[in-house]
Amino acid sequence: MRILVLLTLAVASSGIWADDTAPVTAESALSAVATLRDETNWLWTCIAGFLVFFMQAGFALVEAGFTRAKNTVNILMKNFMDFSLGSLAFWLIGFAIMFGPQVVSGFGFGSISLADSLLIVDGKPDPGKFTFFIFQLVFAGTAATIVSGAMAERTKFVDYVIFSVLITAFVYPVFGSLAWSNLFDPDNKGYLVEAGFIDFAGSTVVHSVGGWAGLAGTIVLGPRLGKYQDGKVLPILGHNMTIAALGVFILWLGWFGFNPGSTTSVGGGTFAIIAVTTNFAAAAGAVSSMLVTWILFKKPDIGLTLNGALAGLVAITAPCANVSISSAIIIGLVAGVLVVFSVLFFDKIKVDDPVGAVSVHGVCGAWGTIAAGLFAEEAFGGVNGLFFGGGIDQLLVQLQGVGIGFIWAFGASLLIFFALRFTIGLRVSEDEEIQGLDILEHGNEAYPISK
């Protein structure tokens, strides 16, 4: 009797009956419950997507804080426009490439068409499909904006605008079609889907793709003026650690949409478990990076500690739905150590990445994806990894996905950046770099001096 009452209340609250005098039946009650469940899932997914969108603000603040004041407007413009232009590009062709029926089953990508072709059913917009679209759209924007920090302080704005369109329309969706094509249509299985690749929320699909694209850009650009002299690395300090720290807090908050939101459902409460693993990996990454810098430099470094938290978040993004709290902490601890030594390594080989984007997103994204093959537990969903008796098979699949992601994202981006370099030019002049990009590229300053 209690169940019937609850069902009746659900039906009444859903407004499914136009006539209040209509009789309550088991069929109508179950239909109302199903409708409420769908609408609740859509609401949760949209809210999570809005949190991921807010990460754009976090990225903008982190990148601005880690770079010099004279380039702040340029950083803000890039973070504003990569999402704006990326939204249009993802709608025009990116979404259909990523989630449309594959041209060659398993190895191709979807047809080139407007997202509308997949979102409109029988001439009417499908709210569930539109919900999926907005959530995937903000993920595409994240992949694009990672590149901004790696190429900061010496890239022509027009080149960044062009690349933002190309990564969201083509580079990101093509790899995404291999790993996530079945999320929209379960029967549409890309190569990595068939192989059993685990990347729940995108350590590789989103973060490493953006990180490897940024690596290609930094290599083609070359280092900033004065960064490497006489075989030494000369630090170029960021202008505002306050806004950088605020940016990291915003990103940490946004990740509670990024990872738990990837459930696209509240059923079973899995999103809460994922929120916990996400948080502990971030905390562990911050702690381990702080300790490593304290040991190496005799003082705890704020910049690398902030990046340590981000490294833990990036690393847990792939295995967040498959690991325990203790495993999440280990994954975060390793990421925090890894990001410090990765930043030092890239400086050693004179790859100038002003914000550590390649290390945080590329390297730690790869680590997190590999970690899924080590720490996954069947009790938390999926399969057992190597450390829990599952053998080496899943680890090999993860390594394969990481390798394909690197080859595609780095290779495609390298070709694009070389094409831009030898056509319209990729880098600003020395005079522009010395004076700063804000005035010469945008005719504005973030901190004008009052007279």
Side-chain angles (χ1 to χ4, degrees):
M1 184 65 183
R2 181 179 298 177
I3 294 175
L4 181 58
V5 171
L6 290 174
L7 289 174
T8 303
L9 290 173
V11 173
S13 65
S14 71
I16 196 170
W17 292 324
D19 181 2
D20 291 339
T21 63
V24 178
T25 66
E27 183 178 355
S28 61
L30 290 173
S31 174
V33 170
T35 299
L36 287 175
R37 182 174 61 244
D38 288 342
E39 292 175 349
T40 300
N41 290 338
W42 299 339
L43 177 61
W44 159 240
T45 303
C46 281
I47 291 173
F50 304 154
L51 283 172
V52 177
F53 168 75
F54 191 44
M55 291 172 70
Q56 290 287 138
F59 280 116
L61 293 177
V62 169
E63 292 170 18
F66 276 11
T67 52
R68 288 168 289 186
K70 63 183 180 180
N71 297 308
T72 301
V73 170
N74 179 254
I75 291 289
L76 299 177
M77 278 292 292
K78 289 195 296 182
N79 278 270
F80 193 74
M81 292 312 301
D82 57 28
F83 186 81
S84 300
L85 289 166
S87 292
L88 296 172
F90 195 63
W91 167 71
L92 282 169
I93 62 173
F95 184 78
I97 287 176
M98 190 164 175
F99 296 106
Q102 300 203 341
V103 177
V104 179
S105 181
F107 292 92
F109 50 83
S111 59
I112 296 178
S113 62
L114 296 178
D116 301 46
S117 64
L118 300 175
L119 305 177
I120 307 296
V121 180
D122 296 329
K124 296 181 179 180
D126 184 310
K129 297 182 187 299
F130 269 73
T131 298
F132 182 82
F133 175 64
I134 189 64
F135 190 70
Q136 291 300 324
L137 170 62
V138 292
F139 272 49
T142 299
T145 204
I146 291 168
V147 182
S148 170
M151 300 176 65
E153 301 201 299
R154 73 267 201 212
T155 307
K156 289 183 178 179
F157 181 68
V158 65
D159 292 271
Y160 183 76
V161 163
I162 292 171
F163 186 76
S164 294
V165 171
L166 293 176
I167 190 173
T168 46
F170 185 65
V171 179
Y172 167 74
V174 167
F175 182 75
S177 72
L178 296 177
W180 282 358
S181 56
N182 66 316
L183 297 182
F184 188 77
D185 178 0
D187 296 324
N188 189 31
K189 297 181 179 180
Y191 174 72
L192 290 174
V193 176
E194 293 278 12
F197 181 60
I198 298 173
D199 192 358
F200 185 76
S203 285
T204 288
V205 176
V206 179
H207 293 280
S208 280
V209 164
W212 301 142
L215 175 61
T218 62
I219 290 173
V220 177
L221 270 174
R224 290 168 292 174
L225 295 174
K227 176 67 175 180
Y228 306 110
Q229 295 183 21
D230 301 324
K232 296 180 179 180
V233 179
L234 301 182
I236 299 176
L237 300 179
H239 84 282
N240 194 325
M241 288 299 102
T242 301
I243 66 170
L246 177 59
V248 171
F249 278 120
I250 291 173
L251 288 170
W252 196 326
L253 172 65
W255 240 283
F256 290 126
F258 208 101
N259 289 359
S262 293
T263 60
T264 66
S265 172
V266 298
T270 305
F271 68 93
I273 299 170
I274 293 172
V276 172
T277 58
T278 298
N279 183 76
F280 276 93
V287 170
S288 63
S289 59
M290 179 195 70
L291 292 175
V292 170
T293 60
W294 211 333
I295 293 169
L296 292 177
F297 311 134
K298 310 305 178 186
K299 295 179 181 180
D301 182 85
I302 179 62
L304 286 171
T305 300
L306 293 173
N307 269 343
L310 297 180
L313 288 164
V314 169
I316 198 60
T317 298
C320 59
N322 301 87
V323 299
S324 66
I325 297 176
S326 57
S327 293
I329 290 172
I330 294 171
I331 292 168
L333 287 171
V334 173
V337 174
L338 189 60
V339 73
V340 174
F341 286 101
S342 178
V343 167
L344 296 177
F345 168 76
F346 282 117
D347 264 341
K348 187 176 181 65
I349 63 172
K350 297 183 179 180
V351 173
D352 184 16
D353 176 3
V355 306
V358 177
S359 297
V360 169
H361 300 278
V363 174
C364 291
W367 155 241
T369 307
I370 293 168
L374 301 172
F375 294 96
E377 292 183 59
E378 190 174 1
F380 284 85
V383 300
N384 285 321
L386 180 63
F387 294 161
F388 291 90
I392 200 172
D393 290 347
Q394 188 63 49
L395 178 60
L396 294 177
V397 171
Q398 299 304 110
L399 288 168
Q400 186 180 22
V402 168
I404 293 172
F406 173 78
I407 292 169
W408 168 250
F410 179 76
S413 300
L414 199 65
L415 290 175
I416 293 169
F417 284 126
F418 270 122
L420 291 172
R421 175 180 173 181
F422 291 115
T423 51
I424 62 176
L426 185 63
R427 183 166 181 154
V428 299
S429 68
E430 288 192 9
D431 287 342
E432 289 176 305
E433 187 174 344
I434 291 169
Q435 292 183 56
L437 305 184
D438 288 1
I439 286 292
L440 297 175
E441 284 269 280
H442 307 286
N444 208 330
E445 291 180 287
Y447 310 106
I449 299 174
S450 300
K451 294 183 180 179

